[in-house]
Amino acid sequence: MRRAPVQRRSAERLTRILDACAALLDEAGYEQLTTRAVASRAGVPIGSVYRFFDNKRALVDALARRNLDRYAERVTDRFAALEAGDWRGAVDVVLDEYLAMKRTVPGFGSVDFGADLAPTAPGRGRGAAGKNANQQVAGRLTVLLAGHLGRGPDASLHRTVLVAVEAADALLQLAFRTDAAGDPGIVAETRTLLRAYLAGALD
């Protein structure tokens, strides 16, 4: 972002811009997205979009960051209802909240936490931007999980969480390529895989 909003009115305008971006991603995809269309949908002058963002890539990156912040908030709220140290319950929360956002949050299916939106051949999966997003997700989840388990977010835990995030990301991409709502069989296998892998590190 070029600048962060300071006044409430400016923050509300930024929210409308990001909401419009999310809706247009669902309707037309990244290639058809334009800053002018976002401004029109948000009901703001085009200059308001450029006051915050250099281009549509920066706009989508900001949407991805907002998605990650909201995801972390949802996971944190759900962790509060779990028994301390219940890592299996925590894994279910992490997976279930991702699936819920994937199915219900506008724009999340296109960008989630920072997918590579450059044109790619079918089946190639994430590029560098998506892998960097996985690092960010793993970092946030490591801190949240460490707090839930009553331990420090050390390098060992971060490595374990990163491996789990990368594995889950690949499998969930497959689940949503197979079924627009997320193939339930593949989702179930993902949950089984995560629990089996994490048991060795967290039991």
Side-chain angles (χ1 to χ4, degrees), residues 155-177:
S156 176
L157 181 61
H158 180 266
R159 182 174 58 252
T160 297
V161 173
L162 178 59
V163 170
V165 167
E166 289 283 356
D169 178 42
L171 288 170
L172 292 176
Q173 285 189 60
L174 173 62
F176 282 91
R177 286 199 306 269

Side-chain angles (χ1 to χ4, degrees), residues 71 75 79 94 136-146 161 165:
Y71 176 67
V75 169
F79 275 12
V94 166
Q136 294 181 45
V137 173
R140 295 288 283 275
L141 290 179
T142 298
V143 172
L144 294 177
L145 186 59
V161 173
V165 167

Side-chain angles (χ1 to χ4, degrees), residues 80-104:
L82 296 177
E83 183 179 347
D86 176 13
W87 69 262
R88 288 173 177 82
V91 169
D92 287 340
V93 165
V94 166
L95 184 56
D96 290 343
E97 286 303 318
Y98 178 85
L99 292 170
M101 291 184 72
K102 187 85 169 175
R103 293 164 177 159
T104 64

